[in-house]
Amino acid sequence: MSLLDRIGQKLLFSFDPETAHGMSIAALRCGLPVASPPMRDARLMVSLCGLDFPNPLGMAAGYDKNAEVPDALLKLGFGFAEVGTLTPLPQPGNPKPRIFRLTADEAVINRLGFNNEGHAAAEKRLAARKGREGIVGVNIGANKDSADRIGDYERGVTRFAAYASYLTVNISSPNTPGLRNMQAREQLGELLSRVMAARATAPAQPPVFLKIAPDLVEAELEDIAAEVAEKKIDGLIVSNTTLSRAGLRSASLAGEAGGLSGKPLFERSTAVLARMRKLLGPDMAIIGVGGVNSTETALEKIRAGADLVQLYTGMIYAGPSLPGHIVAGMARFADRERLKSIRELRDTACERWAARPIS
């Protein structure tokens, strides 16, 4: 971490996590922090689902919930950014406090509950940036009190298809009661059928990704893989936050309800990623998320089977220079290993990771 990042972190950590998050969004809106131009290296480019990613590192959903700063995030060095989760109607989310820093674990527990300004506000911002360069995904969800949650996803597809480089169907947050039940095969089959039908009639047809939880057993992973293949979903994002608290050092906060992200999620999420790669085969697009906080952890996701990787919590602890450092580290790795493409690394550790326990 640079001196400037350390100073910035000390300042932000003097505020409660949600206030600090808002301050970081405000800083990006104002053009801060100033970063070096994103590195361009042909060996790091990834062509996937008809999109040409300048590098395989992206900002995960959950940070820019209202599509306020996707272009500012891209300037930090990310190859793509994902905004949301967006629900049709604005909603405040769960009561505060609802974000907790587990500093000793380089982790966060959150129970935000899809707090966002709704479709209309985000659509206005995304429409204003239409035509700009840069890959921006849109993560869609359902309102907590919706009478038709699948209908909420259909509305998200219809509303954002024209503006999204890709769409992510998020049914894996643990903070909306009953949402994860949609990962069960019967509900998932109906959801994916209706989502793909909505895309077919939308003004544009961006790729559709499904974001799953890491807290799934083998049979559930097999059911998800079968439905994803049958419904011809374009890709998978593995994974969201976990309900597990295994091995945490921050005992005073471990009992807080919500999803755990950050360093402790790396092994579980990477093992699930490798299993899904084996179940879905070499042609399915997979984005690996969970515990990415360095060049090595990003590369290990690729070794385990990811085409692309995302981070969020890692930047809380390492600062806004992290994406640039990771991408530069990937370029150095390509030099050292004499790679023609980062793609050469994919799946080289898939068998090893798939053999690890996930319970």
Side-chain angles (χ1 to χ4, degrees):
M1 183 185 288
S2 69
L3 175 62
L4 188 60
D5 282 350
R6 285 198 296 272
I7 293 170
Q9 184 196 67
K10 187 172 182 179
L11 172 64
L12 290 176
F13 274 34
S14 68
F15 295 90
D16 71 87
E18 194 155 354
T19 299
H21 175 262
M23 291 171 67
S24 71
I25 292 283
L28 285 170
R29 278 202 310 264
C30 295
L32 298 171
V34 177
S36 301
M39 171 179 284
R40 294 280 179 171
D41 189 320
R43 297 168 302 176
L44 303 185
M45 290 182 63
V46 178
S47 294
L48 196 70
C49 300
L51 300 170
D52 293 323
F53 295 80
N55 69 65
L57 182 68
M59 174 55 109
Y63 176 74
D64 188 7
K65 287 180 172 291
N66 294 302
E68 296 176 87
V69 290
D71 294 292
L73 289 170
L74 295 174
K75 289 177 182 177
L76 294 181
F78 287 110
F80 63 108
E82 187 171 318
V83 302
T85 299
L86 297 165
T87 58
L89 300 176
Q91 60 181 27
N94 295 318
K96 299 178 182 180
R98 53 194 182 179
I99 309 178
F100 306 89
R101 296 187 195 101
L102 284 67
T103 307
D105 297 289
E106 294 182 40
V108 165
I109 292 173
N110 92 81
R111 50 173 180 264
L112 288 160
F114 288 173
N115 57 309
N116 74 108
E117 297 172 3
H119 282 183
E123 182 185 23
K124 184 176 180 180
R125 295 183 183 114
L126 290 169
R129 76 167 302 277
K130 192 171 183 181
R132 294 180 197 167
E133 292 186 356
I135 295 175
V136 176
V138 177
N139 186 300
I140 54 175
N143 282 112
K144 179 179 179 179
D145 298 325
S146 175
D148 178 10
R149 283 185 171 173
I150 293 180
D152 282 7
Y153 289 97
E154 291 174 309
R155 284 185 279 278
V157 171
T158 301
R159 193 134 198 184
F160 295 111
Y163 311 112
S165 302
Y166 66 89
L167 292 163
T168 297
V169 176
N170 184 1
I171 55 171
S172 50
S173 169
N175 300 318
T176 296
L179 189 76
R180 284 190 170 189
N181 295 341
M182 298 179 80
Q183 294 175 121
R185 186 159 190 177
E186 184 176 347
Q187 289 191 57
L188 180 62
E190 182 184 357
L191 169 69
L192 297 182
S193 292
R194 288 172 59 178
V195 161
M196 296 306 280
R199 186 185 70 167
T201 59
Q205 286 74 47
V208 172
F209 284 73
L210 175 70
K211 187 167 186 174
I212 66 171
D215 307 316
L216 296 163
V217 299
E218 210 73 47
E220 292 170 319
L221 295 177
E222 290 170 2
D223 284 348
I224 289 170
E227 289 299 326
V228 164
E230 181 183 315
K231 303 304 187 295
K232 294 182 169 51
I233 301 302
D234 297 284
L236 206 64
I237 300 182
V238 186
S239 65
N240 213 314
T241 57
T242 182
L243 294 174
S244 171
R245 299 294 187 264
L248 291 182
R249 299 165 59 193
S250 308
S252 63
L253 293 172
E256 292 289 349
L260 175 76
S261 62
K263 190 174 181 179
L265 181 57
F266 180 77
E267 291 209 6
R268 174 186 288 265
S269 61
T270 308
V272 173
L273 160 66
R275 280 170 166 78
M276 293 308 292
R277 172 57 72 199
K278 290 193 70 177
L279 287 167
L280 289 165
D283 297 330
M284 175 63 65
I286 299 181
I287 302 176
V289 197
V292 174
N293 61 4
S294 64
T295 296
E296 184 51 43
T297 49
L299 293 174
E300 196 64 17
K301 290 282 188 188
I302 297 172
R303 293 185 185 102
D307 297 288
L308 305 167
V309 297
Q310 290 178 322
L311 63 80
Y312 172 8
T313 303
M315 207 161 78
I316 294 173
Y317 290 98
S321 64
L322 180 62
H325 288 321
I326 289 177
V327 174
M330 287 180 170
R332 289 193 298 271
F333 178 84
D335 285 337
R336 189 167 64 248
E337 299 299 319
R338 299 182 179 180
L339 301 180
K340 293 181 180 178
S341 169
I342 199 72
R343 173 87 178 188
E344 295 173 41
L345 199 63
R346 209 200 77 181
D347 299 343
T348 54
C350 184
E351 293 290 342
R352 172 167 57 83
W353 276 104
R356 296 200 181 192
I358 56 174
S359 57

